[in-house]
Amino acid sequence: MVVVTGQSKASATPDDAMSSSDAEDDFQEPATPTATQAGQALPLLPQQFPEVVPLNVGGMFFTTRLSTLRRYEDTMLAAMFSGRHYIPTDNEGRYFIDRDGTYFGDILNFLRSGDLPPRERVRSVYKEAQYYSIGPLLDNLEDIQPLKGEKVRQAFLGLMPYYKDHLERIIEIAKLRAMQRKARFAKLKVCVFKEEMPITPYECPHFNSLRFERSESETKLFEHHCEVDVSFGPWEAVADVYDLLHCIVTDLSARGIAVDHQCIGVCDKHLINHYYCKRPIYEFKITWW
């Protein structure tokens, strides 16, 4: 854009004149709206809120005090209604939050009086508390069931190498086999073992000595992979094989996958001398519809 000062159009020489096409090439739209455009699009900040705030959360209506929304200053709600950010309104003048409002009432009840949701809604309210970054509510929910038990369970699963990867492998193998066979279900073999050292009933007296005092070459003699689709273990914790099986079934069921399992024997592979692999083998049946 050319700005001409101190000269009229008549005084401009032909050499100084620009064609309309040249002017269009040099002209660029402003990167940000002008003051007039901004005033038409959004109100000027900071935004002022009434003491009693009407809310529309994903189509569900709530009414609360402004001080309730600002109860904890480090939360998303406190930031949203601080006046530093613009919150759109619906046709009725309610402040709109683009979020499912199913559990927003539980959020407000905690902000108002510290009330916690019933047990069956704890997980869902926890997810909402994470979204709104309400730290005190998160701390309270983590200290009650079922989240408290879930923390203990996750601490155990933290000892399990590649646990999530193995779950994905179970799902992928079962899906592939069901599609290949055009069947409702698929079966696969899963090994779940807590102890790495193989044993036999008549070799138990020598078990501890060999477990802790064997050389590197002896260790390699005991290393092997059971002929199964997926193998979990070993781990060091009080929780046993049945506890891990419960975790596997729980996590698959949480993803909508119907699963049954039963023990079908042990590996029983000969390793060295009188030692055989005694890792239990389970048959998993995944039903797809």
Side-chain angles (χ1 to χ4, degrees), residues 160-180:
M160 194 65 49
Y162 310 112
Y163 175 76
K164 292 183 179 180
D165 294 337
H166 291 339
L167 284 183
E168 293 299 328
R169 181 168 174 78
I170 288 176
I171 296 171
E172 289 301 317
I173 292 175
K175 181 177 69 174
L176 180 61
R177 288 181 181 172
M179 294 178 66
Q180 288 175 339

mmCIF file of all heavy atoms in Angstrom, residues 160-180:
data_model
loop_
_atom_site.group_PDB
_atom_site.id
_atom_site.type_symbol
_atom_site.label_atom_id
_atom_site.label_comp_id
_atom_site.label_asym_id
_atom_site.label_seq_id
_atom_site.Cartn_x
_atom_site.Cartn_y
_atom_site.Cartn_z
ATOM 1 N N MET A 160 4.906 -55.568 35.793
ATOM 2 C CA MET A 160 4.739 -56.522 34.697
ATOM 3 C C MET A 160 5.299 -55.945 33.409
ATOM 4 O O MET A 160 4.776 -54.965 32.874
ATOM 5 C CB MET A 160 3.246 -56.827 34.529
ATOM 6 C CG MET A 160 2.962 -58.033 33.665
ATOM 7 S SD MET A 160 3.580 -59.536 34.410
ATOM 8 C CE MET A 160 2.911 -59.342 36.064
ATOM 9 N N PRO A 161 6.380 -56.515 32.890
ATOM 10 C CA PRO A 161 6.951 -55.969 31.650
ATOM 11 C C PRO A 161 6.021 -56.169 30.462
ATOM 12 O O PRO A 161 5.458 -57.252 30.275
ATOM 13 C CB PRO A 161 8.255 -56.766 31.491
ATOM 14 C CG PRO A 161 8.031 -58.035 32.260
ATOM 15 C CD PRO A 161 7.122 -57.674 33.391
ATOM 16 N N TYR A 162 5.824 -55.106 29.676
ATOM 17 C CA TYR A 162 5.070 -55.161 28.423
ATOM 18 C C TYR A 162 3.613 -55.602 28.611
ATOM 19 O O TYR A 162 3.030 -56.215 27.719
ATOM 20 C CB TYR A 162 5.763 -56.096 27.427
ATOM 21 C CG TYR A 162 7.227 -55.812 27.255
ATOM 22 C CD1 TYR A 162 8.185 -56.721 27.712
ATOM 23 C CD2 TYR A 162 7.657 -54.634 26.661
ATOM 24 C CE1 TYR A 162 9.542 -56.450 27.567
ATOM 25 C CE2 TYR A 162 9.009 -54.364 26.515
ATOM 26 C CZ TYR A 162 9.939 -55.275 26.973
ATOM 27 O OH TYR A 162 11.274 -54.991 26.825
ATOM 28 N N TYR A 163 3.021 -55.291 29.749
ATOM 29 C CA TYR A 163 1.653 -55.746 30.015
ATOM 30 C C TYR A 163 0.680 -55.228 28.955
ATOM 31 O O TYR A 163 -0.089 -56.001 28.361
ATOM 32 C CB TYR A 163 1.208 -55.299 31.407
ATOM 33 C CG TYR A 163 -0.240 -55.614 31.731
ATOM 34 C CD1 TYR A 163 -0.627 -56.912 32.060
ATOM 35 C CD2 TYR A 163 -1.212 -54.622 31.688
ATOM 36 C CE1 TYR A 163 -1.943 -57.207 32.345
ATOM 37 C CE2 TYR A 163 -2.535 -54.910 31.978
ATOM 38 C CZ TYR A 163 -2.896 -56.194 32.304
ATOM 39 O OH TYR A 163 -4.214 -56.488 32.590
ATOM 40 N N LYS A 164 0.693 -53.927 28.694
ATOM 41 C CA LYS A 164 -0.244 -53.353 27.727
ATOM 42 C C LYS A 164 0.026 -53.866 26.316
ATOM 43 O O LYS A 164 -0.915 -54.090 25.537
ATOM 44 C CB LYS A 164 -0.162 -51.829 27.761
ATOM 45 C CG LYS A 164 -0.683 -51.226 29.061
ATOM 46 C CD LYS A 164 -0.643 -49.712 29.013
ATOM 47 C CE LYS A 164 -1.193 -49.115 30.305
ATOM 48 N NZ LYS A 164 -1.156 -47.619 30.277
ATOM 49 N N ASP A 165 1.286 -54.070 25.984
ATOM 50 C CA ASP A 165 1.617 -54.613 24.668
ATOM 51 C C ASP A 165 1.060 -56.018 24.504
ATOM 52 O O ASP A 165 0.560 -56.385 23.433
ATOM 53 C CB ASP A 165 3.131 -54.625 24.461
ATOM 54 C CG ASP A 165 3.716 -53.220 24.396
ATOM 55 O OD1 ASP A 165 2.962 -52.284 24.072
ATOM 56 O OD2 ASP A 165 4.914 -53.064 24.673
ATOM 57 N N HIS A 166 1.145 -56.817 25.569
ATOM 58 C CA HIS A 166 0.625 -58.183 25.510
ATOM 59 C C HIS A 166 -0.889 -58.190 25.369
ATOM 60 O O HIS A 166 -1.449 -59.049 24.665
ATOM 61 C CB HIS A 166 1.041 -58.956 26.762
ATOM 62 C CG HIS A 166 2.518 -59.232 26.830
ATOM 63 N ND1 HIS A 166 3.320 -59.213 25.727
ATOM 64 C CD2 HIS A 166 3.325 -59.552 27.888
ATOM 65 C CE1 HIS A 166 4.566 -59.506 26.079
ATOM 66 N NE2 HIS A 166 4.598 -59.703 27.381
ATOM 67 N N LEU A 167 -1.576 -57.257 26.035
ATOM 68 C CA LEU A 167 -3.031 -57.161 25.866
ATOM 69 C C LEU A 167 -3.383 -56.874 24.410
ATOM 70 O O LEU A 167 -4.311 -57.490 23.850
ATOM 71 C CB LEU A 167 -3.593 -56.063 26.766
ATOM 72 C CG LEU A 167 -3.735 -56.345 28.265
ATOM 73 C CD1 LEU A 167 -4.387 -55.146 28.951
ATOM 74 C CD2 LEU A 167 -4.553 -57.603 28.531
ATOM 75 N N GLU A 168 -2.653 -55.948 23.805
ATOM 76 C CA GLU A 168 -2.911 -55.616 22.406
ATOM 77 C C GLU A 168 -2.652 -56.827 21.511
ATOM 78 O O GLU A 168 -3.383 -57.043 20.535
ATOM 79 C CB GLU A 168 -2.030 -54.442 21.968
ATOM 80 C CG GLU A 168 -2.355 -53.122 22.641
ATOM 81 C CD GLU A 168 -3.758 -52.652 22.347
ATOM 82 O OE1 GLU A 168 -4.274 -52.945 21.238
ATOM 83 O OE2 GLU A 168 -4.361 -51.991 23.215
ATOM 84 N N ARG A 169 -1.642 -57.606 21.840
ATOM 85 C CA ARG A 169 -1.335 -58.789 21.036
ATOM 86 C C ARG A 169 -2.456 -59.822 21.140
ATOM 87 O O ARG A 169 -2.831 -60.446 20.149
ATOM 88 C CB ARG A 169 -0.007 -59.394 21.488
ATOM 89 C CG ARG A 169 0.413 -60.618 20.678
ATOM 90 C CD ARG A 169 1.847 -61.020 20.960
ATOM 91 N NE ARG A 169 2.187 -62.262 20.293
ATOM 92 C CZ ARG A 169 2.483 -62.370 19.007
ATOM 93 N NH1 ARG A 169 2.462 -61.292 18.244
ATOM 94 N NH2 ARG A 169 2.784 -63.534 18.480
ATOM 95 N N ILE A 170 -3.014 -60.010 22.337
ATOM 96 C CA ILE A 170 -4.150 -60.928 22.507
ATOM 97 C C ILE A 170 -5.301 -60.505 21.610
ATOM 98 O O ILE A 170 -5.922 -61.320 20.914
ATOM 99 C CB ILE A 170 -4.591 -60.967 23.985
ATOM 100 C CG1 ILE A 170 -3.561 -61.709 24.837
ATOM 101 C CG2 ILE A 170 -5.962 -61.633 24.129
ATOM 102 C CD1 ILE A 170 -3.872 -61.712 26.319
ATOM 103 N N ILE A 171 -5.618 -59.217 21.613
ATOM 104 C CA ILE A 171 -6.734 -58.710 20.822
ATOM 105 C C ILE A 171 -6.480 -58.896 19.336
ATOM 106 O O ILE A 171 -7.368 -59.346 18.586
ATOM 107 C CB ILE A 171 -6.977 -57.229 21.155
ATOM 108 C CG1 ILE A 171 -7.413 -57.071 22.613
ATOM 109 C CG2 ILE A 171 -8.026 -56.632 20.222
ATOM 110 C CD1 ILE A 171 -7.477 -55.635 23.092
ATOM 111 N N GLU A 172 -5.283 -58.565 18.878
ATOM 112 C CA GLU A 172 -4.973 -58.650 17.453
ATOM 113 C C GLU A 172 -4.989 -60.095 16.963
ATOM 114 O O GLU A 172 -5.520 -60.383 15.882
ATOM 115 C CB GLU A 172 -3.616 -58.007 17.171
ATOM 116 C CG GLU A 172 -3.616 -56.493 17.293
ATOM 117 C CD GLU A 172 -4.609 -55.849 16.349
ATOM 118 O OE1 GLU A 172 -4.680 -56.289 15.170
ATOM 119 O OE2 GLU A 172 -5.323 -54.928 16.772
ATOM 120 N N ILE A 173 -4.416 -61.007 17.744
ATOM 121 C CA ILE A 173 -4.398 -62.420 17.332
ATOM 122 C C ILE A 173 -5.820 -62.959 17.284
ATOM 123 O O ILE A 173 -6.211 -63.655 16.330
ATOM 124 C CB ILE A 173 -3.535 -63.249 18.299
ATOM 125 C CG1 ILE A 173 -2.062 -62.855 18.160
ATOM 126 C CG2 ILE A 173 -3.710 -64.736 18.035
ATOM 127 C CD1 ILE A 173 -1.154 -63.543 19.172
ATOM 128 N N ALA A 174 -6.618 -62.656 18.317
ATOM 129 C CA ALA A 174 -7.990 -63.164 18.354
ATOM 130 C C ALA A 174 -8.816 -62.597 17.200
ATOM 131 O O ALA A 174 -9.626 -63.310 16.592
ATOM 132 C CB ALA A 174 -8.629 -62.807 19.691
ATOM 133 N N LYS A 175 -8.617 -61.328 16.872
ATOM 134 C CA LYS A 175 -9.369 -60.721 15.760
ATOM 135 C C LYS A 175 -8.977 -61.358 14.427
ATOM 136 O O LYS A 175 -9.844 -61.680 13.609
ATOM 137 C CB LYS A 175 -9.097 -59.220 15.731
ATOM 138 C CG LYS A 175 -9.851 -58.491 14.628
ATOM 139 C CD LYS A 175 -9.607 -56.991 14.697
ATOM 140 C CE LYS A 175 -8.187 -56.649 14.324
ATOM 141 N NZ LYS A 175 -7.976 -55.167 14.252
ATOM 142 N N LEU A 176 -7.676 -61.551 14.222
ATOM 143 C CA LEU A 176 -7.201 -62.122 12.971
ATOM 144 C C LEU A 176 -7.716 -63.542 12.783
ATOM 145 O O LEU A 176 -8.191 -63.911 11.700
ATOM 146 C CB LEU A 176 -5.669 -62.094 12.940
ATOM 147 C CG LEU A 176 -5.004 -62.657 11.679
ATOM 148 C CD1 LEU A 176 -5.426 -61.854 10.459
ATOM 149 C CD2 LEU A 176 -3.489 -62.650 11.835
ATOM 150 N N ARG A 177 -7.663 -64.349 13.832
ATOM 151 C CA ARG A 177 -8.120 -65.740 13.725
ATOM 152 C C ARG A 177 -9.623 -65.821 13.491
ATOM 153 O O ARG A 177 -10.099 -66.667 12.719
ATOM 154 C CB ARG A 177 -7.732 -66.507 14.988
ATOM 155 C CG ARG A 177 -6.246 -66.779 15.079
ATOM 156 C CD ARG A 177 -5.868 -67.552 16.317
ATOM 157 N NE ARG A 177 -4.423 -67.762 16.356
ATOM 158 C CZ ARG A 177 -3.766 -68.279 17.386
ATOM 159 N NH1 ARG A 177 -4.426 -68.637 18.493
ATOM 160 N NH2 ARG A 177 -2.457 -68.432 17.329
ATOM 161 N N ALA A 178 -10.391 -64.972 14.149
ATOM 162 C CA ALA A 178 -11.838 -64.978 13.955
ATOM 163 C C ALA A 178 -12.190 -64.566 12.528
ATOM 164 O O ALA A 178 -13.089 -65.146 11.906
ATOM 165 C CB ALA A 178 -12.504 -64.041 14.960
ATOM 166 N N MET A 179 -11.480 -63.577 11.982
ATOM 167 C CA MET A 179 -11.753 -63.137 10.613
ATOM 168 C C MET A 179 -11.345 -64.197 9.601
ATOM 169 O O MET A 179 -12.029 -64.406 8.598
ATOM 170 C CB MET A 179 -11.015 -61.826 10.340
ATOM 171 C CG MET A 179 -11.532 -60.654 11.164
ATOM 172 S SD MET A 179 -10.607 -59.117 10.888
ATOM 173 C CE MET A 179 -11.034 -58.782 9.177
ATOM 174 N N GLN A 180 -10.240 -64.878 9.855
ATOM 175 C CA GLN A 180 -9.789 -65.920 8.938
ATOM 176 C C GLN A 180 -10.764 -67.090 8.906
ATOM 177 O O GLN A 180 -11.030 -67.664 7.853
ATOM 178 C CB GLN A 180 -8.401 -66.402 9.340
ATOM 179 C CG GLN A 180 -7.295 -65.388 9.056
ATOM 180 C CD GLN A 180 -5.950 -65.853 9.584
ATOM 181 O OE1 GLN A 180 -5.856 -66.709 10.480
ATOM 182 N NE2 GLN A 180 -4.876 -65.281 9.037
#
